[in-house]
């Protein structure tokens, strides 16, 4: 068990949260949610002892082992991938290292010979004889082939390093498991594997996530960080959204009832206070009025952007036609793929990391040349693009307002540009921030501002939810659901795909599957094929 008592965290005079007293109990899995900047990661660092709170205490059960998903991706660069996983169990790793040292020596002293027998016994008791199989199971589940296990961590890019660190913390079999955005950089298959693993976890899990599918599948409780406090809700994320709205609605109704009662009392007092025969009753009503209290709502840290994509020009019947397109770098990604995409189709491009999803999207949008074949657009097509890597689009030295103005062809005034940005939660002087200092979420919302301003009649988005908080993801999801024309997107967000896609293109190691249906039907088809 892990609990907090009156935890407060201040930076200067501003408080992220105040007097937070919550209890996280074994057997439950908690989703810690809240708007970007509300203090989720700070609260988790306080739980792990990495950051000292301004006030209050954290209590952890006796002999409880705490596992935390590290964010320091370079910390294990000099170690092999499988050794990095082993380090998740410090006791076993220490014994394993001593055992390896002794067994690799050409000659042993009498003392070392004697120690070998003790080490072997300790190694077995600590689970050493199954450690390789357990670590391999974790790594394979997270998408690693066994030929990589002995490679140095330096061969991996950031997203795959994060997977190894996730395997590391899971390997330690902690009593309390703290995960900060564990689904970042995971593909759909790995997310589903992680979901099933965490469902079987018997300890206390606290996870920060913006993935609605993950929160719905894994969580037994939602810990909502808002109004500078944490409120606990039983159930998953969908249960929370209903319960939180119901709770606020009930409070608003209670407030209205109190306000009506107060107005009735005020009217009686005003009417009869000067009437001698009613003076006693008026005095009684005055005492009742003084006792009435209307609950004041604290300002929420949650603010949703307003996202609407309105095409400036009509889209014709012909949109995108690809014929025999291929792409290879060091290895072939895909070859001889042809497709026709119509004016109202919503196409999700899915697949494991590294199979070429971004490459295919960029070829279909004429951002990258195919090695073979051709891509043709209808004459009316105007593509609005959200790139996964926006470094070539964004100008770090320009202000956000200045950068956005470059795409308006002089059509918009500063007031109108500020209006586009305001819908994306850029307030006041926020628009004058340099692009280079914007957070990942702010950059994503700035790119969406550009798309809404340009008014493309075909939209192409590459992992648009990566840096957005839950409110922004919901708003983007809804805005895209209202878009009347062709939509192409790459995503690992299960719910995003499930609610938008009418066609699935999956890139696999054996070729491209082009399925004319939604995600639910596609997954059902794949399950039936496996059974056959």
């Amino acid at each position: 068990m892990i609990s907090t008592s009156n935890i407060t965290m201040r930076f200067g005079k501003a408080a992220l949260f105040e007097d937070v007293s919550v209890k996280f109990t074994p057997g439950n899995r908690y989703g810690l949610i809240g708007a970007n900047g509300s203090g989720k990661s700070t609260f988790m660092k306080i739980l792990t002892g990495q950051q000292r709170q301004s006030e209050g205490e954290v209590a952890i059960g006796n002999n409880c082992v705490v596992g935390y998903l590290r964010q320091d991706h370079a910390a294990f660069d000099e170690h092999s991938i499988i050794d990095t996983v082993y380090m998740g169990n410090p006791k076993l790793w220490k014994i394993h290292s001593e055992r390896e040292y002794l067994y690799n020596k050409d000659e042993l002293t009498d003392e070392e010979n004697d120690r070998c027998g003790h080490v072997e016994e300790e190694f077995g008791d600590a689970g050493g004889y199954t450690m390789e199989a357990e670590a391999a199971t974790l790594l394979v589940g997270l998408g690693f082939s066994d030929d990589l296990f002995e490679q140095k961590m330096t061969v991996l890019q950031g997203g795959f390093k994060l997977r190894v660190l996730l395997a590391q913390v899971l390997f330690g079999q902690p009593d309390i498991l703290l995960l900060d955005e564990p689904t970042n950089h995971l593909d759909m298959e790995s997310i589903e594997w992680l979901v099933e693993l965490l469902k079987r976890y018997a300890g206390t899990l606290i996870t920060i996530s913006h993935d609605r599918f993950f929160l719905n599948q894994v969580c037994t409780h939602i810990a909502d960080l808002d109004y500078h406090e944490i409120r606990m809700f039983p159930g998953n994320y969908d249960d929370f959204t209903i319960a939180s709205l119901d709770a606020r609605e009930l409070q608003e109704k209670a407030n209205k009832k109190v306000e009506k009662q107060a107005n009735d009392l005020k009217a009686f007092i005003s009417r009869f206070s000067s009437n001698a025969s009613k003076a006693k009753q008026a005095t009684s009503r005055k005492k009742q009025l003084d006792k009435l209290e209307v609950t004041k709502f604290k300002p929420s840290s949650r603010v949703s952007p307003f996202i609407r994509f309105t095409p400036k020009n009509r889209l014709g019947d012909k949109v995108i036609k690809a014929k025999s397109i291929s792409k290879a770098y060091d290895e072939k990604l895909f070859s001889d793929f042809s497709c026709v995409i119509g004016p109202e189709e919503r196409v999700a491009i899915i697949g494991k990391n590294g199979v070429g999803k971004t490459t295919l999207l960029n070829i279909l949008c004429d951002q990258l040349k195919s090695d073979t074949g051709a891509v043709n657009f209808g004459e009316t097509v105007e593509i609005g693009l959200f790139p996964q890597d926006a470094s070539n689009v964004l100008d770090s030295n320009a202000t956000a307002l200045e950068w956005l103005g470059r795409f308006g062809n002089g059509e918009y005034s500063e007031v109108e540009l500020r209006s586009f940005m305001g819908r994306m939660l850029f307030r006041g002087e926020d628009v004058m921030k340099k692009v280079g200092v914007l957070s990942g979420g702010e950059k994503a919302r700035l790119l969406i501002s550009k798309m809404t301003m340009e008014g493309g009649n075909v939209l192409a988005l590459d992992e648009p939810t990566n840096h957005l908080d839950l409110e922004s993801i919901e708003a983007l999801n809804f805005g895209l659901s209202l878009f009347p024309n062709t939509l192409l997107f790459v995503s690992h967000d299960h719910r995003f795909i499930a609610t938008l896609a009418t066609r699935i293109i999956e890139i696999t190691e054996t070729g491209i599957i082009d399925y004319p249906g939604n995600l639910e039907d596609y997954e059902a088809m794949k399950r039936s094929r496996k059974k056959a």
Side-chain angles (χ1 to χ4, degrees):
M1 184 187 77
I2 184 168
S3 62
T4 68
S5 177
N6 302 116
I7 291 287
T8 295
M9 189 68 208
R10 294 191 186 92
F11 292 99
K13 293 182 180 180
L16 270 182
F17 39 82
E18 298 178 284
D19 296 324
V20 173
S21 296
V22 289
K23 185 182 291 185
F24 303 97
T25 55
N28 290 320
R29 302 183 295 272
Y30 300 87
L32 179 57
I33 67 169
N36 285 346
S38 62
K40 301 184 297 296
S41 292
T42 300
F43 183 75
M44 190 167 277
K45 286 177 181 176
I46 289 172
L47 294 181
T48 62
Q50 296 178 80
Q51 187 153 354
R52 181 66 188 167
Q53 62 272 22
S54 304
E55 297 171 19
E57 298 296 330
V58 175
I60 297 174
N62 291 334
N63 301 317
C64 279
V65 176
V66 178
Y68 175 63
L69 178 60
R70 301 173 62 103
Q71 299 297 321
D72 183 2
H73 295 185
F76 300 91
D77 278 356
E78 296 307 310
H79 298 278
S80 72
I81 290 170
I82 199 157
D83 280 352
T84 301
V85 177
Y86 292 155
M87 289 178 194
N89 186 330
K91 179 183 176 182
L92 179 56
W93 171 249
K94 183 179 179 181
I95 299 168
H96 169 72
S97 298
E98 184 181 2
R99 181 173 179 264
E100 289 291 298
Y101 167 76
L102 292 172
Y103 286 3
N104 284 321
K105 283 193 73 173
D106 293 332
E107 294 184 19
L108 297 176
T109 65
D110 290 343
E111 185 179 346
E112 287 172 334
N113 263 317
D114 182 56
R115 177 64 185 147
C116 279
H118 294 293
V119 165
E120 199 63 35
E121 184 179 350
E122 291 172 14
F123 183 70
D125 290 343
Y129 297 123
T130 59
M131 64 187 286
E132 185 175 353
E134 290 170 2
T137 298
L138 290 168
L139 288 170
V140 170
L142 287 166
F144 292 92
S145 55
D146 55 11
D147 60 308
L148 281 172
F149 292 178
E150 299 298 334
Q151 296 288 316
K152 287 279 188 76
M153 286 284 284
T154 48
V155 306
L156 302 177
Q157 299 299 316
F160 281 94
K161 284 184 180 180
L162 182 66
R163 293 183 187 212
V164 178
L165 297 180
L166 178 56
Q168 181 190 72
V169 72
L170 293 170
F171 182 77
Q173 297 181 330
D175 305 291
I176 300 167
L177 183 57
L178 305 175
L179 304 177
D180 191 349
E181 295 288 1
T183 61
N184 275 4
H185 307 291
L186 295 186
D187 54 40
M188 286 178 66
E189 189 174 313
S190 296
I191 291 171
E192 289 171 3
W193 174 86
L194 179 61
V195 163
E196 293 306 314
L197 182 72
L198 294 177
K199 280 181 178 179
R200 299 192 297 272
Y201 177 68
T204 305
L205 169 67
I206 307 171
T207 180
I208 297 171
S209 182
H210 293 150
D211 188 314
R212 298 162 295 173
F213 170 79
F214 179 78
L215 291 170
N216 275 333
Q217 292 294 311
V218 168
C219 295
T220 61
H221 295 74
I222 296 295
D224 179 36
L225 179 48
D226 197 9
Y227 310 104
H228 303 292
E229 62 186 17
I230 290 180
R231 296 177 299 164
M232 201 70 74
F233 293 83
N236 61 20
Y237 178 70
D238 281 349
D239 296 328
F240 154 76
T241 56
I242 295 168
S244 60
L245 287 172
D246 286 347
R248 190 172 183 93
E249 187 177 330
L250 284 172
Q251 189 59 64
E252 287 174 348
K253 285 180 178 178
N255 276 357
K256 287 179 181 178
K257 187 176 180 180
V258 171
E259 287 170 356
K260 183 181 184 305
Q261 189 178 354
N263 289 332
D264 290 344
L265 290 171
K266 287 175 184 177
F268 185 93
I269 294 165
S270 175
R271 183 177 178 186
F272 295 111
S273 58
S274 58
N275 187 322
S277 65
K278 298 283 189 179
K280 195 171 183 179
Q281 293 180 50
T283 301
S284 175
R285 299 290 201 282
K286 179 70 169 64
K287 289 179 181 178
Q288 290 180 46
L289 180 62
D290 291 341
K291 291 179 182 178
L292 290 179
E293 288 186 13
V294 174
T295 301
K296 292 182 179 179
F297 291 109
K298 295 180 182 179
S300 173
S301 58
R302 280 194 175 85
V303 186
S304 296
F306 181 82
I307 302 177
R308 295 293 184 272
F309 299 98
T310 306
K312 285 187 176 178
N313 297 308
R314 187 189 67 84
L315 180 65
D317 293 335
K318 295 181 179 179
V319 183
I320 299 173
K321 182 178 181 180
K323 185 173 182 181
S324 302
I325 58 174
S326 307
K327 197 65 185 179
Y329 291 104
D330 294 334
E331 296 181 359
K332 181 188 74 174
L333 292 176
F334 50 83
S335 62
D336 199 31
F337 176 63
S338 300
C339 68
V340 176
I341 298 172
E344 295 180 3
E345 290 195 277
R346 300 164 179 270
V347 184
I349 300 173
I350 66 172
K352 292 182 178 180
N353 287 338
V355 295
K357 300 184 299 294
T358 293
T359 299
L360 177 59
L361 181 70
N362 284 337
I363 289 174
L364 292 175
C365 296
D366 200 28
Q367 300 296 304
L368 182 68
K369 293 299 179 185
S370 173
D371 293 340
T372 63
V375 175
N376 295 307
F377 298 116
E379 293 181 0
T380 61
V381 169
E382 297 169 349
I383 294 180
L385 184 66
F386 184 105
Q388 182 180 163
D389 180 5
S391 57
N392 293 330
V393 180
L394 296 171
D395 181 353
S396 297
N397 297 315
T399 67
L401 181 67
E402 178 190 352
W403 179 84
L404 186 64
R406 294 175 185 176
F407 300 92
N409 296 321
E411 182 181 344
Y412 299 103
S413 66
E414 181 176 323
V415 171
E416 290 170 316
L417 291 172
R418 283 176 176 269
S419 178
F420 280 110
M421 297 181 73
R423 293 170 202 156
M424 293 299 114
L425 308 182
F426 289 89
R427 310 296 191 204
E429 291 306 303
D430 287 348
V431 302
M432 302 311 294
K433 285 183 181 179
K434 294 281 189 180
V435 171
V437 304
L438 297 179
S439 68
E442 287 173 323
K443 287 177 180 175
R445 286 187 273 111
L446 185 59
L447 289 167
I448 294 171
S449 292
K450 172 181 174 289
M451 293 177 69
T452 60
M453 186 181 74
E454 289 179 323
N457 56 21
V458 172
L459 300 182
L461 304 95
D462 192 356
E463 296 286 4
T465 64
N466 274 357
H467 299 287
L468 297 178
D469 59 21
L470 282 163
E471 287 67 42
S472 296
I473 292 171
E474 295 276 10
L476 177 61
N477 206 150
F478 184 64
L480 290 173
S481 74
L482 299 177
F483 184 68
N485 295 343
T486 305
L487 175 64
L488 296 89
F489 63 97
V490 172
S491 181
H492 294 142
D493 187 315
H494 192 284
R495 186 158 173 176
F496 197 75
I497 300 167
T499 55
L500 290 173
T502 60
R503 178 175 175 180
I504 305 293
I505 293 178
E506 181 175 14
I507 306 177
T508 73
E509 294 168 354
T510 56
I512 293 178
I513 302 170
D514 189 352
Y515 182 80
N518 61 29
L519 183 62
E520 183 180 358
D521 292 340
Y522 179 63
E523 290 180 333
M525 180 272 290
K526 288 175 70 176
R527 286 193 297 270
S528 65
R529 283 187 178 179
K530 283 183 180 179
K531 291 178 182 177

